[in-house]
Amino acid sequence: MASHTGNARLRLCDARDEGAALMIIDVQRAIDDIGYWGERNNARMEENLEDLLGCWRGGNGHIVHVRHFSHTPGSPYRSGQSGAEFKACVTPRQGERIVTKHVSSAFVGTDLEAWLRRHGVSRLVVAGVATAHAVSTTVRHAGCLDFRVTVAADACATFAVRDRNGRLWDAEQVHALSLAVLDGTFAEVTSTHSVVQHF
């Protein structure tokens, strides 16, 4: 098994550094469909995402908006539905990169890696939805590709999970465990405040 422990010791990305990118994953109207997903954790995610975007837009770093267009029947993320639209708090501006994916990893079936390499990006700050799914999968993939990754924990959110034995793991438990697995192996997990303080 490959080790990525070096990622744990990186310094936080600098938005004024063109080698850094803020990546926001799957923050679309679909996440507000409580009937489909159930309750999520972290009601302040949108506020923290706005703080990260405000910081990045004041510098020279790249901003990447990842959106999910699901092929699953009934998914609120299906292209053409209102759920597939970006939430207002993260609406992309002109010049900001949009990547469309169809699976959990933002690197599968997209030109994301090639685009990052072409623009000299080696460091990522990642936020979005869901911590246990697209965020975790993309962060692990980025780590395996030798990107240095920071996750803004309080700018991420996830949903409850019921296991095959019927036990319900609430969203906060799923969120915390997902971040614990990433931290120190594939990424440094920190807060929005800590990220912003370094700019």
Side-chain angles (χ1 to χ4, degrees), residues 3 15 30 36 41 51 56 65 83 102 111 119 124 128 130-131 135 137 158 161 164-165 177 181 192 198:
S3 173
Y36 189 87
N41 73 317
D51 287 345
W56 236 262
H65 299 268
H102 304 288
D111 68 347
H119 287 82
L124 302 172
T131 320
V135 170
T137 304
T158 198
V161 174
R164 66 175 58 216
N165 295 316
L177 181 57
V181 171
T192 297
H198 284 71

Side-chain angles (χ1 to χ4, degrees), residues 79-130:
S79 178
Q81 298 186 104
S82 62
E85 297 175 10
F86 288 105
K87 294 199 70 173
C89 63
V90 297
T91 300
R93 293 183 180 176
Q94 186 173 1
E96 296 175 355
R97 179 71 171 173
I98 298 174
V99 173
T100 302
K101 66 179 180 62
H102 304 288
V103 296
S104 288
S105 174
F107 291 96
V108 173
T110 73
D111 68 347
L112 176 59
E113 181 187 1
W115 186 89
L116 293 171
R117 304 289 190 203
R118 188 164 63 249
H119 287 82
V121 174
S122 60
R123 295 175 290 170
L124 302 172
V125 170
V126 178
V129 180

Side-chain angles (χ1 to χ4, degrees), residues 136-198:
S136 179
T137 304
T138 299
V139 167
R140 289 167 183 257
H141 201 155
C144 289
L145 293 171
D146 291 325
F147 288 97
R148 293 179 291 165
V149 186
T150 296
V151 177
D154 56 358
C156 299
T158 198
F159 305 93
V161 174
R162 189 177 299 278
D163 66 27
R164 66 175 58 216
N165 295 316
R167 177 177 175 178
L168 183 68
W169 301 81
D170 69 45
E172 193 57 41
Q173 289 176 311
V174 174
H175 180 75
L177 181 57
S178 299
L179 293 171
V181 171
L182 295 176
D183 194 24
T185 304
F186 295 96
E188 178 182 20
V189 176
T190 188
S191 66
T192 297
H193 178 71
S194 294
V195 171
V196 171
Q197 273 192 319
H198 284 71

